[in-house]
Amino acid sequence: MVFAHSVQGQDREKWELLADHLQAVGSTAAQFASSFGAEAAAQCMGLFHDIGKCSDAYQAYIRQPQGDALRGPDHSTAGAREAVEAFGPLWGRLLAYGIAGHHSGLMDSGKLDERLAKALEDYVGWQAHTGIRPYKADLVSMGVGQGANTIDKSFSVAFLARMLFSCLVDADFLETERFYAASRGEAAPPRGGVFGQPHLDRIRAHLAAKRNASTDLNRLRGEILDHATSKAALEPGLFTLTVPTGGGKTLTSLSFAAEHAIHHELRRIIYVIPFTSIIEQTAQVFRDDVRLGDDVLEHHSNFDWDRYAPGSGTDEETEGADGGAKLRRDAENWNAPLIVTTSVQFFESLFAARTSRARKLHNIAGSVIILDEVQSLPVHLLRPCLAAIDELAKNYGASVVLCTATQPALRTQDGALPPKTENGPPEGLDIPEERELAPDPKKLYDRLKRVAVDWSREPVGDEAIAARFAKSPQMLCIVNSRAHARELFEMLRDQGQAGAVHLSTLMCARHRRKVLDQLRKDLKEGQPVRLVSTSLIEAGVDIDFPEVWRAATGLASIAQAAGRCNREAEAEGLGRTVVFEPTGHKVPPMIEAFYTAARPVLRDHQEDVLELDAINEFYKQLYWNQGFKALDRARLPDGERLAIIPAIRAGTPKCNFPFASVAQAFRMIDDTMVPVIIPYDGRAEDAIRSLRHAPVPPAGVQRVLQQYVALVPRNARASLLSAGAAEMIRPDDYGDRFVVLSQTRSGDRPELYDEDLGLRLDADPTARSSESNILS
């Protein structure tokens, strides 16, 4: 008998036969791939993936005590080799990437060649276990999809390989999980679900209860919502939703997505948001206000799984004995009706090589995807991101809604993206005007206008800003670095200005949340609030000031800053937002290109710099100034640049794809910062204590600690460690994953952590220099 999995302590007749495992994985993988018409290919991958376990060496290994606890002899290369033999050097190779990498991850073509050429243990007789023969090329000769990718036609083949890999990996995980549960006499643990009529009914009920025509603003929000949902019957594909701040964009997009999903039998809604602060707010609205409960999967680094576990004693506790464990399982493969996640998690998964990140991809097919604040897509990865968006819409049955107040001119007709060739047409997505979900965005902008933007042509010093603060008891000033935010705040504090407050990422998330809650209360009660913040306040934070000042930046960030001004339309006339160049502080290199593109627009559109034509002109300046190649400039860990789409195109003719290199290079956020854990309160200290003493990091502790992290330059953290101001927890076990600020205290806080400013780095001149370029 040939086994796939052993069960320690049980007779061999209860072990899993290889034939049973291969056929179960093949069947499940085919089911997963049915949403994009690749059942045959996925089934073949499932049937071939473990045929190397036929070898005498593997069967001897699995019969040893604890033999199945480790991988043992190579058992994945054999299936990859046989796939190439059966289906040829192109289709077979396409399958081979996923088969060879179903444990280790997708690899570059050179590594695959090494694997295919290596000496293997004899796995004779494998055909008897797969259940299908003879193997014919027509099993995998389906097309790569009906639609040619607008950004680059060659993108489709590599993307299909990723999707098939996802189907195989998830099927293998789930079927193995199911077998071991059965071996214990248990049912497989509950997982997931799809979006259905009961979810739509709850959304409709919430919107009906919320609908209020008592004010002009509420009537307008109702018009926007009704117009968007009236288009739910349009065929799946690409959409735009252009709604200014205050227009009810979140609930409008949710309503459209729900109606559209039910009408077209799409499986789930995926809400993609760039900032964790918006994610937490949005997920809470969906979970609590809309009453979708634990059918909402919130997946991001700051999510506190333990908060939703049985016995947590919180209001958010989920029902049933499974609680947070089910949420963790659903996060593994996004098998949930409604997912709220980050742009980083979404897009990096689409280009991932690791099994743990890629297994969710097949569940993105056949979904409604809301890309909120789509203008935040990083310029250096814009073309790969657009190619992935277009591929999902064209060939994987997904509908993608580009949702923002400031559409980043990504359509072909916007004429903003530079052409591939000198005399070619501008690049962009093909989204016809009728697929805009908002009613007449230009008129809508005029009706929702709440802010006038002034541009100060002369540089402005901190003394002048402080003087303006003195005259304006409720005012916000957003600056471009943490160092500048600290200096300006300290000037206000030294002057004794009432209500002076500071926000930056040198304060841990738990601390920032506490400060923001108090700010909202003070603003509502009419107390003085003079807030100095970095750009983190622009990330969808629901807060409202009558006057906002914004240091020089791009137009999209200016619009975000203006969204914190007169947000509830309570000011007489328009609120005031002032854009200025700060004296003594250079524009940081990472936003210099954005301000360079904004300057001519600020000059030429003085009457209204945020109207839609001005926004379009800004993006045209931004993209054309940087040039076509700058829109695809990923960076490998060694600093070498990698143009992702050309690399994929070059490998397409012979299926020589650099999957692992692309995954390493595709980073939405440049990873120049490292975490320092702040023992801010008792909950943080309990989590740190468990890290010190538990044999392995306890479940949930790492996610709890995400809420107590301050991000600092790597050299600043090294300085803290060398000075004894921070320590690594169990470096022999964890390396440098857990660095904690020392417990030396001054009052109720570690002495280097200030209640007003957060982590104090200004004593280290090296760190201070680095900090001057850190935006949040």
Side-chain angles (χ1 to χ4, degrees), residues 382-653:
L382 190 61
R383 294 191 71 236
C385 287
L386 295 184
I389 290 168
D390 201 51
E391 192 66 19
L392 288 168
K394 282 220 171 78
N395 295 321
Y396 293 87
S399 284
V400 185
V401 183
L402 310 183
C403 188
T404 180
T406 52
Q407 282 291 350
L410 301 177
R411 304 175 305 172
T412 303
Q413 63 264 41
D414 295 326
L417 292 169
K420 299 176 186 177
T421 58
E422 185 176 349
N423 298 315
E427 199 172 44
L429 297 173
D430 181 16
I431 312 178
E433 297 289 349
E434 60 267 21
R435 295 177 76 85
E436 166 60 57
L437 301 178
D440 197 338
K442 288 189 176 182
K443 288 184 179 178
L444 192 59
Y445 171 78
D446 291 337
R447 293 176 69 183
L448 282 168
K449 184 176 178 180
R450 301 174 184 182
V451 178
V453 176
D454 298 330
W455 180 39
S456 175
R457 293 172 178 266
E458 299 298 323
V460 178
D462 285 358
E463 296 81 3
I465 298 172
R468 184 60 194 173
F469 264 119
K471 296 178 181 178
S472 304
Q474 291 191 342
M475 178 176 135
L476 164 65
C477 182
I478 304 170
V479 294
N480 283 332
S481 73
R482 302 192 303 199
H484 190 189
R486 182 186 64 247
E487 291 169 9
L488 181 55
F489 165 76
E490 288 178 331
M491 178 178 289
L492 300 184
R493 186 173 61 181
D494 292 345
Q495 291 177 356
Q497 294 205 30
V501 187
H502 162 275
L503 276 177
S504 85
T505 53
L506 285 174
M507 304 157 71
C508 66
R510 180 73 70 167
H511 185 184
R512 295 198 305 269
R513 194 174 305 151
K514 173 185 171 184
V515 171
L516 283 166
D517 287 345
Q518 185 62 47
L519 288 179
R520 293 187 184 100
K521 181 175 181 291
D522 291 345
L523 287 166
K524 187 174 182 180
E525 294 175 356
Q527 299 296 317
V529 177
R530 296 175 166 97
L531 175 60
V532 180
S533 177
T534 58
S535 59
L536 71 88
I537 196 74
E538 296 168 356
V541 177
D542 186 6
I543 198 164
D544 189 4
F545 286 86
E547 185 169 341
V548 173
W549 285 53
R550 181 52 167 104
T553 187
L555 212 57
S557 293
I558 292 169
Q560 291 279 11
R564 308 316 117 200
C565 181
N566 196 24
R567 190 175 179 85
E568 299 302 323
E570 294 178 350
E572 293 185 12
L574 298 175
R576 182 175 186 239
T577 296
V578 179
V579 180
F580 67 98
E581 295 182 19
T583 302
H585 294 273
K586 294 181 179 179
V587 177
M590 62 189 71
I591 66 171
E592 188 172 6
F594 296 89
Y595 186 55
T596 298
R599 283 179 64 91
V601 182
L602 289 164
R603 181 192 63 228
D604 298 339
H605 293 262
Q606 293 183 48
E607 290 186 5
D608 190 352
V609 74
L610 297 183
E611 56 93 13
L612 269 61
D613 287 341
I615 295 292
N616 187 79
E617 179 61 26
F618 164 71
Y619 283 108
K620 188 169 185 177
Q621 291 276 349
L622 177 64
Y623 300 146
W624 284 70
N625 286 352
Q626 297 198 64
F628 178 76
K629 292 183 178 180
L631 307 184
D632 184 359
R633 281 174 58 82
R635 190 190 298 273
L636 290 162
D638 63 4
E640 182 182 350
R641 291 287 187 177
L642 176 68
I644 289 174
I645 289 180
I648 291 172
R649 187 192 312 121
T652 297

Side-chain angles (χ1 to χ4, degrees), residues 36 38 41 45 89-98 106 140 142-149 152-165 350-351 361 387-388 391-392 395-396 645 647-659:
F36 51 93
M45 292 177 74
L90 296 181
W91 280 112
R93 192 173 179 83
L94 190 77
L95 306 189
Y97 282 104
L106 290 172
V140 290
M142 76 293 182
V144 182
Q146 299 303 309
N149 192 284
D152 198 285
K153 294 178 182 179
S154 63
F155 189 82
S156 297
V157 179
F159 199 84
L160 175 61
R162 293 181 185 281
M163 278 290 188
L164 289 171
F165 174 62
L350 290 174
F351 291 88
L361 296 191
E391 192 66 19
L392 288 168
N395 295 321
Y396 293 87
I645 289 180
I648 291 172
R649 187 192 312 121
T652 297
K654 295 185 178 181
C655 275
N656 289 330
F657 296 118
F659 287 120

Side-chain angles (χ1 to χ4, degrees), residues 44-342:
C44 286
M45 292 177 74
L47 291 172
F48 281 35
H49 80 289
D50 269 359
I51 63 173
K53 289 185 176 181
C54 286
S55 71
D56 291 342
Y58 193 91
Q59 290 302 306
Y61 157 78
I62 203 173
R63 285 165 167 78
Q64 297 172 0
Q66 301 298 317
D68 201 31
L70 300 173
R71 290 181 194 165
D74 179 351
H75 63 271
S76 55
T77 301
R81 182 179 293 175
E82 294 300 333
V84 175
E85 178 69 23
F87 306 120
L90 296 181
W91 280 112
R93 192 173 179 83
L94 190 77
L95 306 189
Y97 282 104
I99 296 170
H102 76 269
H103 286 299
S104 58
L106 290 172
M107 58 199 74
D108 289 348
S109 60
K111 181 65 174 178
L112 179 64
D113 290 336
E114 291 178 13
R115 289 282 295 275
L116 294 174
K118 70 182 287 190
L120 296 177
E121 300 286 347
D122 193 350
Y123 51 95
V124 64
W126 63 271
Q127 296 90 340
H129 304 281
T130 59
I132 291 182
R133 60 175 196 267
Y135 304 99
K136 298 180 181 178
D138 60 10
L139 284 174
V140 290
S141 61
M142 76 293 182
V144 182
Q146 299 303 309
N149 192 284
T150 303
I151 304 303
D152 198 285
K153 294 178 182 179
S154 63
F155 189 82
S156 297
V157 179
F159 199 84
L160 175 61
R162 293 181 185 281
M163 278 290 188
L164 289 171
F165 174 62
S166 169
C167 294
L168 172 62
V169 168
D170 199 28
D172 192 24
F173 270 108
L174 294 177
E175 291 303 331
T176 301
E177 176 184 77
R178 187 174 291 117
F179 166 73
Y180 278 112
S183 74
R184 298 188 298 270
E186 303 169 358
R191 282 180 174 272
V194 297
F195 191 86
Q197 188 65 43
H199 302 107
L200 176 60
D201 291 343
R202 291 182 204 174
I203 292 169
R204 285 175 172 172
H206 173 74
L207 293 172
K210 194 174 179 64
R211 190 178 286 269
N212 184 343
S214 61
T215 67
D216 290 342
L217 179 57
N218 284 330
R219 283 191 289 274
L220 179 56
R221 286 170 174 165
E223 291 174 24
I224 297 168
L225 187 146
D226 291 342
H227 187 273
T229 53
S230 73
K231 295 196 172 189
L234 289 175
E235 286 300 306
L238 296 172
F239 296 89
T240 55
L241 176 62
T242 310
V243 177
T245 300
K249 174 166 56 75
T250 299
L251 289 178
T252 294
S253 58
L254 176 66
S255 177
F256 167 80
E259 300 284 352
H260 187 68
I262 295 300
H263 190 276
H264 293 287
E265 299 183 347
L266 301 181
R267 301 183 296 171
R268 54 187 47 86
I269 296 170
I270 304 173
Y271 215 100
V272 183
I273 304 174
F275 315 112
T276 54
S277 56
I278 309 180
I279 286 180
E280 291 164 354
Q281 295 172 26
T282 304
Q284 185 174 3
V285 168
F286 294 166
R287 187 184 298 114
D288 300 335
D289 297 354
V290 187
R291 303 184 66 80
L292 295 175
D294 56 5
D295 283 345
V296 177
L297 171 64
E298 186 178 347
H299 190 194
H300 58 88
S301 61
N302 284 352
F303 184 68
D304 184 359
W305 302 96
D306 292 347
R307 231 174 132 198
Y308 296 86
S312 64
T314 67
D315 293 338
E316 297 89 350
E317 185 174 323
T318 52
E319 297 179 1
D322 201 43
K326 181 177 183 298
L327 286 175
R328 287 191 183 92
R329 287 194 296 274
D330 293 347
E332 291 170 355
N333 64 354
W334 282 8
N335 186 2
L338 198 157
I339 296 122
V340 186
T341 190
T342 60

